[in-house]
Amino acid sequence: MYENFDDGKKGEDEINALVEAQLAEYDYTVDALVEQAKAEAAYERLYEQLTADVTVTDEEIQASYAQTVATDKATYDGDPAAFTLQCMYGNRPAYTPEGIRTVKHILIKYLDDDTQKINELMAMSEKPEDYDAQYDALKQQAYANIKDKVDEIMAKIVEGGDFDSLVAEYGEDPGMKSEPYMSEGYMVFDGCTNLVEEFVDSAMALENIGDVTAEPALTSYGAHIMLYFSDLEPGEAEL
């Protein structure tokens, strides 16, 4: 909680007060947290004692892992979206379905005024009949206001500039500057709904690993210069 409130502007006393207020809102007290920690520590000590003499054979490990692979295969073969979400929020499964690629991108955000206009249109409870045309027009108008920066980046790519270095220098997506996305990019596949449609369409239109979009993908967030980074190897992960 402290880290969430610590934006680099608040003082320590102010942050502590916010933390205490948040704890009170959740009906937590320091004493309750101490008791919870004691219970967890006691459980860990009990587990260590009960399992101290337990041994596991290689054959048992292999059999257990084979069951994990079978379960993951049944779960993810027909649902690659579940696979990508599991990778995003948990551990990488023991089985990878076919057809998943990774892409890196350099996001250049629209100017604030342009973003506000797009968001206001998207937030309308009743969409106008020409919603798609209005949406596309607002994106094109917003893109025109950042095109000089996009052209500057594209020119550096054509000159052989390192994509990762350009992400670090220009990219405005915080996700691309944290792991695992910094190393391998975002996972996409045909029919992917975990990411916005324009992003997925541009990612899947790239033909070969190493290709970069000739024109950036325009989403509600901004312009995305995209690199086809890799294909995930389908099948069982090595134990």
Short mmCIF file of all heavy atoms in Angstrom, two decimals, residues 105-139:
data_model
loop_
_atom_site.label_atom_id
_atom_site.label_comp_id
_atom_site.label_asym_id
_atom_site.label_seq_id
_atom_site.Cartn_x
_atom_site.Cartn_y
_atom_site.Cartn_z
N HIS A 105 6.48 -3.14 -29.71
CA HIS A 105 5.95 -1.94 -30.37
C HIS A 105 6.46 -0.67 -29.69
O HIS A 105 6.86 -0.68 -28.52
CB HIS A 105 4.41 -1.96 -30.37
CG HIS A 105 3.78 -1.59 -29.05
ND1 HIS A 105 2.86 -0.59 -28.92
CD2 HIS A 105 3.97 -2.07 -27.81
CE1 HIS A 105 2.49 -0.48 -27.65
NE2 HIS A 105 3.14 -1.38 -26.96
N ILE A 106 6.48 0.37 -30.48
CA ILE A 106 6.80 1.71 -29.98
C ILE A 106 5.51 2.50 -30.05
O ILE A 106 5.00 2.78 -31.14
CB ILE A 106 7.88 2.39 -30.85
CG1 ILE A 106 9.15 1.53 -30.91
CG2 ILE A 106 8.20 3.78 -30.31
CD1 ILE A 106 10.16 1.99 -31.94
N LEU A 107 4.97 2.82 -28.89
CA LEU A 107 3.73 3.60 -28.83
C LEU A 107 4.05 5.09 -28.73
O LEU A 107 4.79 5.51 -27.84
CB LEU A 107 2.89 3.18 -27.62
CG LEU A 107 1.70 4.10 -27.28
CD1 LEU A 107 0.68 4.10 -28.42
CD2 LEU A 107 1.06 3.68 -25.97
N ILE A 108 3.48 5.87 -29.64
CA ILE A 108 3.52 7.32 -29.54
C ILE A 108 2.09 7.77 -29.27
O ILE A 108 1.20 7.60 -30.11
CB ILE A 108 4.05 7.98 -30.83
CG1 ILE A 108 5.44 7.44 -31.17
CG2 ILE A 108 4.07 9.49 -30.69
CD1 ILE A 108 6.47 7.66 -30.09
N LYS A 109 1.85 8.31 -28.09
CA LYS A 109 0.50 8.68 -27.70
C LYS A 109 0.04 9.94 -28.43
O LYS A 109 0.84 10.80 -28.80
CB LYS A 109 0.44 8.92 -26.19
CG LYS A 109 0.63 7.67 -25.35
CD LYS A 109 0.52 8.00 -23.87
CE LYS A 109 0.68 6.76 -23.02
NZ LYS A 109 0.58 7.09 -21.56
N TYR A 110 -1.28 10.03 -28.62
CA TYR A 110 -1.86 11.25 -29.18
C TYR A 110 -1.71 12.39 -28.17
O TYR A 110 -1.50 12.17 -26.97
CB TYR A 110 -3.34 11.04 -29.48
CG TYR A 110 -3.65 9.93 -30.45
CD1 TYR A 110 -4.65 8.99 -30.17
CD2 TYR A 110 -2.97 9.82 -31.65
CE1 TYR A 110 -4.95 7.98 -31.06
CE2 TYR A 110 -3.26 8.80 -32.56
CZ TYR A 110 -4.26 7.88 -32.25
OH TYR A 110 -4.55 6.87 -33.13
N LEU A 111 -1.87 13.60 -28.65
CA LEU A 111 -1.91 14.75 -27.76
C LEU A 111 -3.15 14.66 -26.87
O LEU A 111 -4.15 14.03 -27.22
CB LEU A 111 -1.94 16.05 -28.57
CG LEU A 111 -0.77 16.26 -29.55
CD1 LEU A 111 -0.90 17.62 -30.24
CD2 LEU A 111 0.57 16.15 -28.85
N ASP A 112 -3.07 15.28 -25.71
CA ASP A 112 -4.15 15.14 -24.71
C ASP A 112 -5.51 15.55 -25.26
O ASP A 112 -6.52 14.86 -25.01
CB ASP A 112 -3.82 15.98 -23.47
CG ASP A 112 -2.67 15.39 -22.66
OD1 ASP A 112 -2.34 14.21 -22.88
OD2 ASP A 112 -2.11 16.12 -21.82
N ASP A 113 -5.57 16.65 -25.99
CA ASP A 113 -6.86 17.11 -26.53
C ASP A 113 -7.44 16.09 -27.49
O ASP A 113 -8.66 15.83 -27.49
CB ASP A 113 -6.69 18.46 -27.23
CG ASP A 113 -6.47 19.60 -26.25
OD1 ASP A 113 -6.69 19.39 -25.04
OD2 ASP A 113 -6.06 20.70 -26.70
N ASP A 114 -6.60 15.52 -28.32
CA ASP A 114 -7.07 14.51 -29.28
C ASP A 114 -7.53 13.25 -28.56
O ASP A 114 -8.56 12.65 -28.93
CB ASP A 114 -5.97 14.18 -30.28
CG ASP A 114 -5.64 15.34 -31.19
OD1 ASP A 114 -6.58 16.07 -31.57
OD2 ASP A 114 -4.45 15.52 -31.54
N THR A 115 -6.79 12.83 -27.55
CA THR A 115 -7.19 11.65 -26.77
C THR A 115 -8.54 11.87 -26.11
O THR A 115 -9.39 10.97 -26.08
CB THR A 115 -6.13 11.34 -25.70
OG1 THR A 115 -4.89 11.02 -26.34
CG2 THR A 115 -6.55 10.17 -24.83
N GLN A 116 -8.76 13.08 -25.58
CA GLN A 116 -10.02 13.38 -24.92
C GLN A 116 -11.19 13.28 -25.90
O GLN A 116 -12.25 12.72 -25.56
CB GLN A 116 -9.98 14.78 -24.31
CG GLN A 116 -11.25 15.15 -23.56
CD GLN A 116 -11.16 16.50 -22.88
OE1 GLN A 116 -10.07 17.06 -22.75
NE2 GLN A 116 -12.29 17.04 -22.45
N LYS A 117 -11.02 13.78 -27.11
CA LYS A 117 -12.09 13.71 -28.11
C LYS A 117 -12.42 12.26 -28.45
O LYS A 117 -13.59 11.88 -28.56
CB LYS A 117 -11.67 14.45 -29.38
CG LYS A 117 -11.56 15.96 -29.21
CD LYS A 117 -11.03 16.60 -30.49
CE LYS A 117 -10.82 18.10 -30.31
NZ LYS A 117 -10.24 18.73 -31.52
N ILE A 118 -11.39 11.43 -28.60
CA ILE A 118 -11.61 10.01 -28.91
C ILE A 118 -12.32 9.32 -27.75
O ILE A 118 -13.28 8.56 -27.95
CB ILE A 118 -10.27 9.32 -29.22
CG1 ILE A 118 -9.70 9.85 -30.53
CG2 ILE A 118 -10.45 7.81 -29.30
CD1 ILE A 118 -8.29 9.38 -30.83
N ASN A 119 -11.86 9.59 -26.54
CA ASN A 119 -12.47 8.95 -25.37
C ASN A 119 -13.92 9.38 -25.18
O ASN A 119 -14.77 8.56 -24.77
CB ASN A 119 -11.66 9.28 -24.11
CG ASN A 119 -10.33 8.57 -24.08
OD1 ASN A 119 -10.13 7.57 -24.77
ND2 ASN A 119 -9.39 9.08 -23.29
N GLU A 120 -14.22 10.64 -25.45
CA GLU A 120 -15.61 11.12 -25.33
C GLU A 120 -16.51 10.40 -26.33
O GLU A 120 -17.64 10.03 -25.99
CB GLU A 120 -15.66 12.63 -25.54
CG GLU A 120 -15.09 13.42 -24.37
CD GLU A 120 -15.04 14.91 -24.65
OE1 GLU A 120 -15.30 15.31 -25.82
OE2 GLU A 120 -14.71 15.68 -23.72
N LEU A 121 -16.01 10.20 -27.54
CA LEU A 121 -16.81 9.48 -28.54
C LEU A 121 -17.02 8.03 -28.10
O LEU A 121 -18.14 7.50 -28.17
CB LEU A 121 -16.11 9.52 -29.90
CG LEU A 121 -16.80 8.73 -31.02
CD1 LEU A 121 -18.15 9.35 -31.37
CD2 LEU A 121 -15.90 8.68 -32.27
N MET A 122 -15.96 7.38 -27.64
CA MET A 122 -16.06 5.97 -27.24
C MET A 122 -16.96 5.79 -26.02
O MET A 122 -17.56 4.72 -25.84
CB MET A 122 -14.66 5.42 -26.94
CG MET A 122 -13.75 5.36 -28.14
SD MET A 122 -12.06 4.86 -27.70
CE MET A 122 -12.32 3.20 -27.08
N ALA A 123 -17.06 6.82 -25.17
CA ALA A 123 -17.84 6.71 -23.94
C ALA A 123 -19.33 6.95 -24.15
O ALA A 123 -20.12 6.76 -23.22
CB ALA A 123 -17.30 7.70 -22.90
N MET A 124 -19.74 7.35 -25.34
CA MET A 124 -21.16 7.64 -25.60
C MET A 124 -21.98 6.38 -25.38
O MET A 124 -21.66 5.31 -25.91
CB MET A 124 -21.35 8.18 -27.01
CG MET A 124 -20.69 9.53 -27.26
SD MET A 124 -20.85 10.10 -28.99
CE MET A 124 -22.61 10.35 -29.07
N SER A 125 -23.04 6.50 -24.59
CA SER A 125 -23.89 5.33 -24.32
C SER A 125 -24.66 4.89 -25.56
O SER A 125 -24.90 3.70 -25.77
CB SER A 125 -24.86 5.64 -23.17
OG SER A 125 -25.64 6.79 -23.47
N GLU A 126 -25.06 5.87 -26.37
CA GLU A 126 -25.73 5.57 -27.63
C GLU A 126 -24.84 6.04 -28.77
O GLU A 126 -24.63 7.23 -28.95
CB GLU A 126 -27.10 6.24 -27.69
CG GLU A 126 -28.10 5.70 -26.69
CD GLU A 126 -29.48 6.30 -26.89
OE1 GLU A 126 -29.71 6.93 -27.96
OE2 GLU A 126 -30.33 6.14 -26.01
N LYS A 127 -24.31 5.08 -29.51
CA LYS A 127 -23.38 5.41 -30.58
C LYS A 127 -24.13 5.94 -31.80
O LYS A 127 -25.17 5.39 -32.19
CB LYS A 127 -22.57 4.16 -30.98
CG LYS A 127 -21.75 3.56 -29.83
CD LYS A 127 -20.61 4.47 -29.42
CE LYS A 127 -19.64 3.79 -28.48
NZ LYS A 127 -20.19 3.53 -27.14
N PRO A 128 -23.63 7.01 -32.43
CA PRO A 128 -24.26 7.52 -33.66
C PRO A 128 -24.09 6.51 -34.80
O PRO A 128 -23.22 5.65 -34.76
CB PRO A 128 -23.50 8.82 -33.94
CG PRO A 128 -22.18 8.65 -33.25
CD PRO A 128 -22.45 7.81 -32.05
N GLU A 129 -24.94 6.66 -35.82
CA GLU A 129 -24.91 5.72 -36.93
C GLU A 129 -23.56 5.75 -37.65
O GLU A 129 -23.10 4.74 -38.18
CB GLU A 129 -26.04 6.04 -37.93
CG GLU A 129 -27.42 5.73 -37.39
CD GLU A 129 -28.50 5.95 -38.43
OE1 GLU A 129 -28.14 6.31 -39.58
OE2 GLU A 129 -29.69 5.77 -38.12
N ASP A 130 -22.93 6.91 -37.68
CA ASP A 130 -21.64 7.05 -38.36
C ASP A 130 -20.49 6.97 -37.35
O ASP A 130 -19.44 7.59 -37.56
CB ASP A 130 -21.58 8.34 -39.16
CG ASP A 130 -21.67 9.58 -38.26
OD1 ASP A 130 -22.13 9.46 -37.10
OD2 ASP A 130 -21.28 10.68 -38.73
N TYR A 131 -20.68 6.20 -36.29
CA TYR A 131 -19.67 6.11 -35.23
C TYR A 131 -18.31 5.70 -35.79
O TYR A 131 -17.28 6.32 -35.48
CB TYR A 131 -20.11 5.10 -34.16
CG TYR A 131 -19.03 4.81 -33.13
CD1 TYR A 131 -18.82 5.65 -32.05
CD2 TYR A 131 -18.21 3.68 -33.27
CE1 TYR A 131 -17.82 5.40 -31.12
CE2 TYR A 131 -17.21 3.41 -32.33
CZ TYR A 131 -17.02 4.26 -31.26
OH TYR A 131 -16.03 4.01 -30.35
N ASP A 132 -18.27 4.66 -36.61
CA ASP A 132 -17.00 4.17 -37.15
C ASP A 132 -16.29 5.25 -37.95
O ASP A 132 -15.06 5.42 -37.84
CB ASP A 132 -17.23 2.94 -38.02
CG ASP A 132 -17.62 1.72 -37.19
OD1 ASP A 132 -17.36 1.71 -35.97
OD2 ASP A 132 -18.19 0.77 -37.77
N ALA A 133 -17.05 5.99 -38.76
CA ALA A 133 -16.45 7.06 -39.56
C ALA A 133 -15.91 8.17 -38.67
O ALA A 133 -14.81 8.70 -38.91
CB ALA A 133 -17.49 7.62 -40.54
N GLN A 134 -16.67 8.53 -37.64
CA GLN A 134 -16.20 9.56 -36.71
C GLN A 134 -14.94 9.10 -35.98
O GLN A 134 -14.00 9.87 -35.79
CB GLN A 134 -17.29 9.89 -35.69
CG GLN A 134 -18.46 10.67 -36.23
CD GLN A 134 -19.35 11.19 -35.11
OE1 GLN A 134 -18.86 11.69 -34.10
NE2 GLN A 134 -20.66 11.09 -35.31
N TYR A 135 -14.95 7.84 -35.55
CA TYR A 135 -13.80 7.29 -34.82
C TYR A 135 -12.55 7.32 -35.69
O TYR A 135 -11.48 7.75 -35.25
CB TYR A 135 -14.13 5.86 -34.39
CG TYR A 135 -13.03 5.14 -33.65
CD1 TYR A 135 -12.50 5.64 -32.47
CD2 TYR A 135 -12.53 3.92 -34.13
CE1 TYR A 135 -11.50 4.97 -31.78
CE2 TYR A 135 -11.53 3.24 -33.45
CZ TYR A 135 -11.02 3.77 -32.28
OH TYR A 135 -10.02 3.10 -31.61
N ASP A 136 -12.69 6.87 -36.93
CA ASP A 136 -11.54 6.86 -37.84
C ASP A 136 -11.05 8.28 -38.13
O ASP A 136 -9.84 8.53 -38.20
CB ASP A 136 -11.91 6.16 -39.15
CG ASP A 136 -12.04 4.65 -38.98
OD1 ASP A 136 -11.47 4.11 -38.01
OD2 ASP A 136 -12.72 4.01 -39.81
N ALA A 137 -11.98 9.20 -38.28
CA ALA A 137 -11.61 10.58 -38.57
C ALA A 137 -10.85 11.20 -37.40
O ALA A 137 -9.84 11.92 -37.59
CB ALA A 137 -12.85 11.41 -38.88
N LEU A 138 -11.30 10.93 -36.18
CA LEU A 138 -10.61 11.45 -35.01
C LEU A 138 -9.21 10.86 -34.87
O LEU A 138 -8.26 11.56 -34.51
CB LEU A 138 -11.43 11.16 -33.74
CG LEU A 138 -12.69 12.00 -33.54
CD1 LEU A 138 -13.46 11.53 -32.32
CD2 LEU A 138 -12.34 13.48 -33.40
N LYS A 139 -9.07 9.58 -35.19
CA LYS A 139 -7.75 8.96 -35.14
C LYS A 139 -6.82 9.56 -36.17
O LYS A 139 -5.63 9.82 -35.88
CB LYS A 139 -7.86 7.44 -35.34
CG LYS A 139 -8.42 6.68 -34.16
CD LYS A 139 -8.17 5.18 -34.29
CE LYS A 139 -8.82 4.59 -35.51
NZ LYS A 139 -8.60 3.13 -35.61
#
